[in-house]
Amino acid sequence: MTKNLVIVESPAKAKTIEKFLGKDFVVKSCFGHVRDLVKKDLGVDIENGFIPQYVITPDKKKVITDLKKIAKDAEMIWLASDEDREGEAIAWHLVEALGLKEKDTKRIVFHEITKPAILEAIENPRKIDKNLVDAQQARRVLDRLVGFELSPLLWKKIKPSLSAGRVQSVAVRLIVEREEEIKGFNVTSAYRVLAEFIITKDIKQILLSAELNKRFSEKKDAIAFLEKCKNAAFSIEDIETKPSKKSPAPPFTTSTLQQEASRKLGFSVANTMRVAQQLYESGKITYMRTDSVNLSKLALNVAKNVVTDSFGAEYVKTRQYTTRTKGAQEAHEAIRPTYLDNRTIEGDHSQTRLYDLIWKRTIASQMNDALLEKTNVTINISNTAEKFIARGEVIKFDGFLKVYMESRDDEDDENQEGLLPPLTVGEKMIPKEISAQEKFSQHPPRYTEASLVKKLEELGIGRPSTYAPTISTIQKREYVVKEDRDGFIRSYGMITLKDKTISEEIKTENTGFEKSKLFPTDIGNLVNNFLVQYFDNILDYNFTASVEEEFDEIAQGKMVWNQMIRDFYFPFHEQIEKTLEQSQKVSGEKLLGQDPVSGENIFVRIGRYGPMVQKGDADPENKPKYSSLKKGQSIDTITLPEALDLFKLPRTVGLFEDEEVVASAGRFGPYVRHKSAFFSLAKTDDPLEISLDRAIELIHEKRKKESEKLIREFPEKEDLKILNGRYGPYLSYQKQNYKIPKANDPSKLTLEDCLKIINETEPSKSSRAKKKK
DNA sequence: CAGTGAGCGAGCTTCCGCTTGACTT
């Protein structure tokens, strides 16, 4: 008999809390939201005050059944979902879905999973805050209305299966607009002058590096300056020393963890979250989806002890950070090691590295400032007004730097400031070498997954639980691609003054290469331009912020949620209707030129299946030829010769085993076909150039793999085979697949054994078969 | 899984945010 049932969102949390509460309490988890709007249509009754039509989410049916069973016998149900808008709604949905009575239900909240915090929560129960629930309903309904009215518009005007939404469309917009900025960026160059001086002290020679306080945009000015330097005298005019300090970064939130794991460990956002989830489930770190930088009192104490023991008391500085992030709801702690005194953990390479990062960041956040001394040395040039400046930085006390330093996106190692030699004002020096190097201005950087998350967080768009899924959605819809791009060779001027002679040379550098950056695709550009043109209000970077203000008013009881939705919806729906009527279908069509052979027009545009080229005008007399663009090509940049090449496929490569080998490119990339079988090309193969020898090699490779796939077949039953698949051995019989029970050795199964397995087990359903239902 | 792009029409796609396993050939 269960006296008390506590329901939390996460099963890992449930396990921990159960330990704190004793035998009168059973703690279960509901695995997040348990109900949602119906999926198949709008799910909102617009005529009747926007009543949401909720159903129990299919994968939560079992969870609800189980909870119902326990709740029936319990004296009291404690709803302990997170203390934020979504958590409050989860509690309310649980009441509805489980049919709980008010007298048997209490709502409790806590921000940290520690015994005192849980006990205190139990001592201070409250009721469900219906205003906060309504704010969540408004959020949910607004997102549904926007997504399910905009997306179908795109299906009609651009291409089926596209999607748009409050969050993803802004994410795409950021990437599209950044690319436009880059395209429109005006690269300028200027000469940066560096000098290396020799100071003679007694018999010792000291070197000092300095940079001129001015850059020359014209080469002739740089040369003129160096000419002056030939006969100039150099001396120290001023030495300015001032103390400065650096403070540690706050503990990790989801967003900052994703950024640092990307910069320091090269993890993708999805990878970071996968590994963090593993660490959380094994009890090594606190919850990984959080927007809070807060640490529990317990953690602060342990951190203090760890710092004292490891580095000494002078390194301790206990700090409580406050969140400045827009829209943060702070239902959890910051991401930190559960036990800060565990310096390292058992685990695989990714886990130990991510844990190490989290440990360092957390510990550093509780350490003292680093004290620095910055020195600026001004060097006078006798015959001109410009000055050379030498900069130095000395760490007087390393503080938190002993453990951890946050990385930046735009790190360049050019300006390394180190220790300066001892100098005095008036000291004379002679230049060993002075050089003016042409430096180019940098366009704004393309987004990485992590820097996009950072930007979204700044705009208050999206939540810790959605950053990674959003990034995956916009890639899945093919609005953006994450890829590496080659750079190019650029030449720059270098003028050097050495031994009283000036020499000029042209040098080259490799620049502009990109690694794992987000680029917009043709479809991304087209969809974004369409949405920005007709729905600038929704695509506005401040749209989320302004609706969030209204959600807050609903939460405070100052606004009625469906009133707010009504005020939004009707003008928005009007906008949809108007766009439906007035806008043209968009395909981004562009006339590229003419086919030199036939004189026919060559067009590029977005077709039913993506970017394509068309040869010939479409009219009743003439059916044009079509072909899809290759991966990496864009309707924006494709040239006429490249387009013409696309019509050369399919192409006969030669004869093999008396049958034609044909090379082409299909839905799943380039392939060769032989005897109606398909063989995918490798990345390095080009269907336009592939040789017969190489094609035959591919055919042999695949045949070999096929033969390895077959473990056993039976002459008496031709449609029964034991095969080796991606997930281990399985049975294939009459186009159905069957799992082989683990106890069996697949290579020793007899025909009888197989038939028995087939009769006793259900065929494994393919995901496609499920979808069709 | 492997060539589609007209036009018709059926039936489908789609949002954001909260949680983890189930399951794939």
Side-chain angles (χ1 to χ4, degrees):
Chain A
M1 173 80 187
T2 309
K3 268 187 157 167
N4 293 284
L5 169 63
V6 181
I7 305 177
V8 296
E9 293 180 41
S10 150
K13 218 190 243 182
K15 239 181 3 189
T16 316
I17 294 172
E18 195 150 49
K19 276 187 266 173
F20 297 145
L21 282 177
K23 62 175 172 41
D24 286 342
F25 288 82
V26 166
V27 187
K28 291 285 167 191
S29 83
C30 66
F31 298 84
H33 274 296
V34 293
R35 300 202 307 173
D36 192 17
L37 299 172
V38 290
K39 221 174 142 52
K40 60 182 253 296
D41 51 34
L42 205 55
V44 181
D45 188 348
I46 289 164
E47 277 82 39
N48 295 303
F50 298 87
I51 298 170
Q53 293 152 21
Y54 293 117
V55 288
I56 292 175
T57 320
D59 61 327
K60 297 295 163 52
K61 288 214 167 109
K62 193 174 175 306
V63 173
I64 290 297
T65 318
D66 293 350
L67 287 176
K68 244 185 197 164
K69 217 176 284 170
I70 306 171
K72 198 163 61 97
D73 299 329
E75 283 168 22
M76 184 57 66
I77 320 291
W78 305 77
L79 300 172
S81 45
D82 299 345
E83 189 183 28
D84 59 16
R85 201 164 63 203
E86 298 296 326
E88 203 67 18
I90 288 174
W92 176 73
H93 279 299
L94 280 169
V95 168
E96 299 286 309
L98 298 174
L100 302 180
K101 294 195 189 73
E102 200 180 323
K103 69 172 179 52
D104 306 330
T105 309
K106 282 177 177 162
R107 167 82 169 118
I108 53 167
V109 295
F110 36 81
H111 296 120
E112 47 183 70
I113 315 297
T114 55
K115 192 167 181 179
I118 310 291
L119 294 181
E120 200 193 317
I122 295 278
E123 290 302 310
N124 297 288
R126 59 169 173 84
K127 287 182 177 176
I128 288 177
D129 179 349
K130 196 58 194 353
N131 287 333
L132 195 52
V133 173
D134 284 349
Q136 192 274 348
Q137 298 202 80
R139 198 282 302 155
R140 180 66 191 93
V141 168
L142 179 106
D143 282 336
R144 171 56 69 89
L145 293 172
V146 169
F148 274 37
E149 296 225 347
L150 276 183
S151 301
L153 184 66
L154 296 180
W155 305 343
K156 292 193 187 83
K157 295 296 180 182
I158 300 178
K159 145 182 151 59
S161 304
L162 294 175
S163 66
R166 174 176 59 83
V167 172
Q168 59 168 286
S169 296
V170 174
V172 173
R173 180 180 188 180
L174 286 165
I175 294 162
V176 169
E177 291 189 341
R178 177 57 54 86
E179 199 63 29
E180 276 163 12
E181 264 180 79
I182 292 170
K183 217 186 281 176
F185 185 75
N186 188 15
V187 179
T188 57
S189 76
Y191 283 80
R192 174 191 194 211
V193 186
L194 296 176
E196 197 159 26
F197 294 104
I198 300 169
I199 307 165
T200 308
K201 294 218 173 191
D202 304 329
I203 48 162
K204 250 171 55 188
Q205 289 195 333
I206 306 168
L207 289 179
L208 179 69
S209 302
E211 179 179 348
L212 195 69
N213 64 352
K214 171 179 179 176
R215 291 187 181 198
F216 301 102
S217 50
E218 301 287 335
K219 187 173 156 188
K220 62 173 173 37
D221 296 335
I223 293 174
F225 173 77
L226 292 183
E227 282 293 346
K228 276 189 193 156
C229 287
K230 268 187 189 170
N231 303 310
F234 301 88
S235 62
I236 294 181
E237 180 179 295
D238 187 30
I239 300 173
E240 190 189 17
T241 302
K242 53 182 175 193
S244 85
K245 63 174 189 179
K246 275 195 179 110
S247 300
F252 278 133
T253 61
T254 303
S255 155
T256 52
L257 177 68
Q258 289 171 350
Q259 291 159 42
E260 279 289 273
S262 164
R263 291 184 287 233
K264 283 199 156 85
L265 310 178
F267 284 9
S268 72
V269 162
N271 194 29
T272 299
M273 293 313 284
R274 189 167 43 243
V275 177
Q277 176 89 29
Q278 293 163 357
L279 292 173
Y280 168 66
E281 282 174 9
S282 55
K284 297 190 178 83
I285 60 167
T286 55
Y287 197 57
M288 65 283 154
R289 288 186 278 264
T290 178
D291 50 23
S292 170
V293 287
N294 188 56
L295 295 175
S296 72
K297 287 193 194 82
L298 194 76
L300 292 178
N301 270 328
V302 180
K304 188 175 173 180
N305 293 336
V306 171
V307 175
T308 313
D309 293 349
S310 315
F311 311 108
E314 70 276 24
Y315 281 90
V316 173
K317 181 168 182 184
T318 299
R319 303 165 191 260
Q320 201 46 283
Y321 294 85
T322 47
T323 301
R324 291 206 191 87
T325 314
K326 232 189 251 177
Q329 309 210 4
E330 304 206 69
H332 306 92
E333 270 190 78
I335 304 170
R336 64 162 171 93
T338 322
Y339 306 104
L340 276 161
D341 31 11
N342 287 350
R343 175 67 191 83
T344 54
I345 52 148
E346 297 281 305
D348 66 27
H349 192 52
S350 300
Q351 290 169 359
T352 53
R353 291 215 294 160
L354 193 67
Y355 181 86
D356 183 64
L357 191 67
I358 295 169
W359 187 88
K360 285 179 174 162
R361 173 87 165 211
T362 311
I363 289 296
S365 81
Q366 298 306 315
M367 289 176 74
N368 229 325
D369 291 340
L371 301 178
L372 312 169
E373 194 179 80
K374 290 195 169 186
T375 306
N376 277 0
V377 178
T378 310
I379 297 158
N380 179 57
I381 309 168
S382 60
N383 57 1
T384 177
E386 287 95 3
K387 312 279 181 196
F388 276 105
I389 311 286
R391 288 178 218 280
E393 189 178 276
V394 181
I395 297 176
K396 292 288 186 183
F397 175 66
D398 53 1
F400 76 95
L401 289 178
K402 213 175 186 76
V403 177
Y404 180 91
M405 180 67 199
E406 187 176 38
S407 309
R408 296 201 330 243
D409 285 324
D410 54 349
E411 260 170 15
D412 50 5
D413 44 12
E414 251 177 37
N415 297 316
Q416 279 194 350
E417 293 166 358
L419 187 66
L420 291 178
L423 301 164
T424 44
V425 172
E427 224 165 341
K428 296 197 173 2
M429 53 185 74
I430 53 162
K432 186 180 170 207
E433 181 178 307
I434 303 176
S435 60
Q437 183 185 337
E438 188 179 12
K439 287 278 176 186
F440 298 89
S441 55
Q442 290 280 331
H443 61 67
R446 292 193 171 85
Y447 285 106
T448 62
E449 289 187 348
S451 68
L452 181 64
V453 168
K454 183 181 180 188
K455 183 69 188 178
L456 288 172
E457 188 190 35
E458 281 167 13
L459 294 167
I461 297 172
R463 305 276 312 131
S465 68
T466 61
Y467 295 137
T470 299
I471 281 181
S472 120
T473 298
I474 61 177
Q475 292 179 68
K476 205 158 68 198
R477 299 264 175 277
E478 298 185 318
Y479 292 150
V480 308
V481 284
K482 178 174 92 173
E483 58 189 29
D484 304 341
R485 297 232 173 136
D486 289 337
F488 56 94
I489 306 282
R490 175 168 67 187
S491 52
Y492 63 92
M494 180 88 171
I495 311 153
T496 310
L497 168 66
K498 197 176 181 181
D499 302 331
K500 302 257 175 196
T501 358
I502 292 175
S503 59
E504 268 182 58
E505 53 185 324
I506 301 293
K507 290 190 163 187
T508 57
E509 60 183 350
N510 198 342
T511 186
F513 55 87
E514 297 277 21
K515 179 116 189 88
S516 282
K517 293 289 170 60
L518 298 171
F519 296 85
T521 62
D522 288 328
I523 294 169
N525 279 320
L526 215 60
V527 167
N528 181 256
N529 293 344
F530 180 86
L531 289 174
V532 169
Q533 181 180 352
Y534 294 104
F535 297 92
D536 58 339
N537 51 337
I538 309 291
L539 273 275
D540 191 303
Y541 292 123
N542 290 316
F543 176 65
T544 291
S546 77
V547 291
E548 280 290 344
E549 277 175 25
E550 299 191 88
F551 296 153
D552 282 347
E553 292 202 22
I554 294 168
Q556 291 161 26
K558 293 180 193 159
M559 195 184 270
V560 178
W561 82 267
N562 49 357
Q563 294 268 7
M564 179 242 157
I565 292 296
R566 174 177 311 146
D567 291 345
F568 165 77
Y569 179 73
F570 289 111
F572 170 68
H573 186 69
E574 186 83 357
Q575 221 178 333
I576 295 271
E577 295 283 334
K578 211 174 111 190
T579 310
L580 204 51
E581 270 172 41
Q582 295 180 356
S583 75
Q584 295 293 311
K585 203 170 179 227
V586 284
S587 72
E589 182 172 285
K590 180 164 100 169
L591 178 64
L592 213 55
Q594 284 75 36
D595 179 8
V597 180
S598 64
E600 287 171 300
N601 283 330
I602 305 284
F603 300 98
V604 280
R605 63 183 168 93
I606 301 284
R608 170 82 177 69
Y609 306 101
M612 58 178 279
V613 282
Q614 174 182 332
K615 179 155 81 168
D617 300 301
D619 57 52
E621 316 266 293
N622 176 43
K623 182 171 164 38
K625 284 199 180 68
Y626 304 101
S627 178
S628 293
L629 261 58
K630 281 194 291 193
K631 216 180 149 208
Q633 288 181 326
S634 151
I635 58 175
D636 220 33
T637 54
I638 193 171
T639 60
L640 184 60
E642 284 165 351
L644 292 169
D645 272 350
L646 293 171
F647 293 106
K648 290 181 183 159
L649 296 176
R651 144 181 175 269
T652 303
V653 181
L655 278 181
F656 174 56
E657 293 174 350
D658 299 329
E659 299 233 10
E660 269 194 343
V661 177
V662 178
S664 192
R667 169 91 178 76
F668 306 100
Y671 64 90
V672 287
R673 198 179 55 220
H674 177 246
K675 296 187 184 171
S676 72
F678 292 89
F679 307 88
S680 294
L681 298 195
K683 267 186 192 149
T684 43
D685 294 318
D686 183 340
L688 281 174
E689 300 187 352
I690 191 166
S691 67
L692 182 61
D693 285 349
R694 173 68 184 143
I696 292 171
E697 195 182 322
L698 285 170
I699 293 170
H700 282 315
E701 264 173 32
K702 186 162 176 196
R703 283 182 183 170
K704 186 161 168 259
K705 261 196 198 142
E706 288 284 315
S707 70
E708 281 165 0
K709 197 178 149 192
L710 185 69
I711 297 173
R712 192 157 178 202
E713 55 189 338
F714 301 92
E716 52 275 47
K717 266 223 184 310
E718 272 193 7
D719 45 6
L720 176 63
K721 286 187 174 86
I722 304 175
L723 299 171
N724 205 359
R726 229 187 340 149
Y727 308 101
Y730 66 102
L731 283 180
S732 163
Y733 179 59
Q734 293 179 342
K735 301 206 168 172
Q736 292 272 31
N737 296 325
Y738 301 84
K739 267 189 197 163
I740 298 177
K742 284 216 170 77
N744 297 301
D745 180 346
S747 59
K748 294 197 180 116
L749 288 174
T750 63
L751 181 58
E752 274 178 3
D753 292 337
C754 292
L755 290 175
K756 199 173 154 213
I757 291 171
I758 289 164
N759 283 328
E760 281 173 7
T761 52
E762 285 202 8
S764 337
K765 281 179 202 153
S766 76
S767 57
R768 206 171 308 113
K770 258 190 220 159
K771 264 186 204 158
K772 273 189 184 155
K773 248 186 98 179

